[in-house]
Amino acid sequence: MCDSLTPVCDRKYAILGTGALGGFYGAKLQQAGYDVHFLLKSDYEHVSKSGLLIESKDGDFTLPQVKAYNDVEQMPQCDVVIVALKTTQNHLLPKLLPPLVKDGGVVLVLQNGLGVEEDISQIVKNVQVIGGLCFLCSNKVGAGHIRHLDYGKITLGEYTPKYDPAPLTERIQYVANDFETAGITIELATDLLLARWQKLVWNIPYNGLSVILNARTDELMTDAHTRILVEQLMNEVAAGAKTSGRVIPDSFIQTMLNYTVKMKPYRTSMKIDYDEGRPLEVEAIFGNPLRKAQAAGANLPQISCMYHQLKFLTQRNGIA
Ligand SMILES: NC(=O)C1=CN([C@@H]2O[C@H](COP(=O)(O)OP(=O)(O)OC[C@H]3O[C@@H](n4cnc5c(N)ncnc54)[C@H](OP(=O)(O)O)[C@@H]3O)[C@@H](O)[C@H]2O)C=CC1
Ligand SMILES: CC(C)(CO)C(=O)C(=O)O
């Protein structure tokens, strides 16, 4: 394994799910010189032949040749395995992860939602699990064709049993260095659980309301009624975080509101999935936080209402 100070080395990265997020970050790592192995499903043949095309607000680029696979057993063992599937596919992880991650390696979970690191720590032993919260607006618009619309920063935090706060280790530092070498802004967090609840401050109101009300982020922010609803939901997420002893101050909520007002009109990833008839990440983004807060005795009525509405919509549309 390379040390943390080597800018570009032979560290092997695996991308589990080469879509909007995995395709973007994986391509940036390969462009920076890292050895990246991409697992694909429906785009496998196209990407094997033609590589990846990244349209990005930071500059378009193509990777005419990438190491593409449609079978995890054909991939080499990697130092860092990036989980970039939708969480709705996480039932596949017990089959996908063990052959892929090196003993002593890292599994980096870049998915939205809560609790995934805990599940992964039960699947693979003797690896470090790191969570990453991605402030990224990216879509897959065709086979091997990713459109990066905005942002890109990742907040990284180590997973520890029970999500206790963790000091920064050498492993998280070298992952951070690799991404920074690839041009990605990284923030390091010593409290992954707090970082995950903070990300939910955005995902719960906007992902949920965008589907239930058929609205883009700009519409939710300009209408006075939905603007109030968004803020109430954000406050409920903060109440949920408090049940785990994590404090999300009102200033953080105001920052998220301002961030979204400044954002280009955005159809959330959950809305895109809904419109395309794909399963929604309802359990990871709504179900898990609700259950965690409920287990600590807290009632989050508006989030609970939204969860049941989304369950209804996904059942009715056959995408549960
Ligand atoms: N997109 C974004 O800007 C952001 C996304 N996130 C989070 O990142 C995660 C990934 O989201 P996103 O990239 O948008 O989703 P995508 O659907 O674009 O990407 C997931 C990819 O996984 C592939 N896949 C599914 N099953 C398999 C399999 N069995 N083997 C190999 N590949 C498979 C899919 O391939 P196929 O298309 O063939 O099914 C798809 O390309 C989610 O948790 C999301 O919430 C977080 C922040 C921002
Ligand atoms: C907050 C955002 C837009 C990334 O910044 C996101 O996570 C999503 O669309 O799911």
Side-chain angles (χ1 to χ4, degrees):
M1 175 116 15
C2 324
D3 68 38
S4 61
L5 301 175
T6 312
V8 175
C9 66
D10 62 356
R11 198 159 16 248
K12 279 188 174 38
Y13 275 82
I15 306 292
L16 221 49
T18 309
L21 179 141
F24 174 68
Y25 289 124
K28 294 286 282 183
L29 286 164
Q30 176 170 328
Q31 191 192 32
Y34 292 97
D35 183 18
V36 186
H37 299 261
F38 295 88
L39 183 73
L40 296 112
K41 199 170 64 175
S42 56
D43 293 354
Y44 168 69
E45 281 186 16
H46 177 90
V47 173
S48 304
K49 254 190 252 144
S50 311
L52 290 168
L53 163 60
I54 312 294
E55 272 179 58
S56 169
K57 60 142 188 111
D58 301 328
D60 302 347
F61 64 98
T62 52
L63 297 175
Q65 283 194 323
V66 303
K67 292 169 182 162
Y69 306 81
N70 63 355
D71 177 2
V72 82
E73 300 287 346
Q74 304 300 316
M75 297 174 77
Q77 286 206 311
C78 291
D79 302 288
V80 183
V81 176
I82 297 182
V83 180
L85 301 164
K86 289 278 180 182
T87 52
T88 50
Q89 300 303 304
N90 280 4
H91 56 277
L92 300 172
L93 293 177
K95 185 173 155 251
L96 299 177
L97 282 176
L100 195 51
V101 60
K102 270 187 192 165
D103 197 36
V106 168
V107 176
L108 173 59
V109 185
L110 293 186
Q111 299 171 312
N112 276 322
L114 202 64
V116 178
E117 292 90 3
E118 199 167 3
D119 296 341
I120 289 179
S121 71
Q122 299 303 312
I123 298 171
V124 275
K125 308 284 178 202
N126 197 28
V127 302
Q128 180 61 49
V129 184
I130 296 176
L133 291 312
C134 302
F135 290 85
L136 171 75
C137 295
S138 179
N139 300 149
K140 188 175 83 109
V141 292
H145 183 176
I146 312 295
R147 185 169 293 150
H148 168 222
L149 302 166
D150 223 344
Y151 306 107
K153 183 179 110 175
I154 307 179
T155 301
L156 293 177
E158 297 253 0
Y159 170 74
T160 57
K162 299 202 185 95
Y163 282 96
D164 286 335
L168 301 176
T169 61
E170 194 192 341
R171 275 186 292 217
I172 202 167
Q173 299 279 1
Y174 76 62
V175 172
N177 286 347
D178 290 352
F179 275 84
E180 280 169 347
T181 302
I184 307 297
T185 304
I186 295 289
E187 191 178 294
L188 293 177
T190 50
D191 188 346
L192 176 60
L193 187 59
L194 173 62
R196 285 224 163 263
W197 276 108
Q198 285 174 327
K199 183 74 198 295
L200 290 170
V201 167
W202 199 93
N203 286 126
I204 285 184
Y206 294 108
N207 287 11
L209 291 175
S210 67
V211 171
I212 294 163
L213 299 178
N214 186 24
R216 286 185 319 264
T217 50
D218 57 315
E219 295 172 298
L220 294 172
M221 292 313 285
T222 44
D223 180 88
H225 297 282
T226 49
R227 169 76 175 65
I228 289 172
L229 214 44
V230 166
E231 195 163 348
Q232 287 174 347
L233 283 159
M234 288 183 170
N235 280 309
E236 250 189 45
V237 177
K242 212 167 168 197
T243 65
S244 295
R246 269 45 176 204
V247 177
I248 298 182
D250 188 55
S251 57
F252 182 86
I253 289 175
Q254 295 309 319
T255 304
M256 284 297 109
L257 291 167
N258 295 337
Y259 163 90
T260 315
V261 166
K262 287 194 202 115
M263 212 160 141
K264 290 179 196 137
Y266 185 57
R267 192 163 60 117
T268 68
S269 49
M270 187 169 273
K271 177 72 169 106
I272 294 173
D273 286 337
Y274 186 70
D275 292 345
E276 302 286 326
R278 294 191 293 248
L280 307 187
E281 299 181 290
V282 179
E283 292 305 335
I285 295 177
F286 297 86
N288 289 348
L290 263 181
R291 283 184 284 271
K292 203 166 174 61
Q294 279 161 0
N299 190 16
L300 308 175
Q302 298 205 75
I303 299 175
S304 177
C305 173
M306 192 174 243
Y307 170 74
H308 291 295
Q309 289 174 325
L310 290 167
K311 292 301 275 187
F312 168 81
L313 287 172
T314 53
Q315 289 285 351
R316 191 185 61 183
N317 292 4
I319 51 172

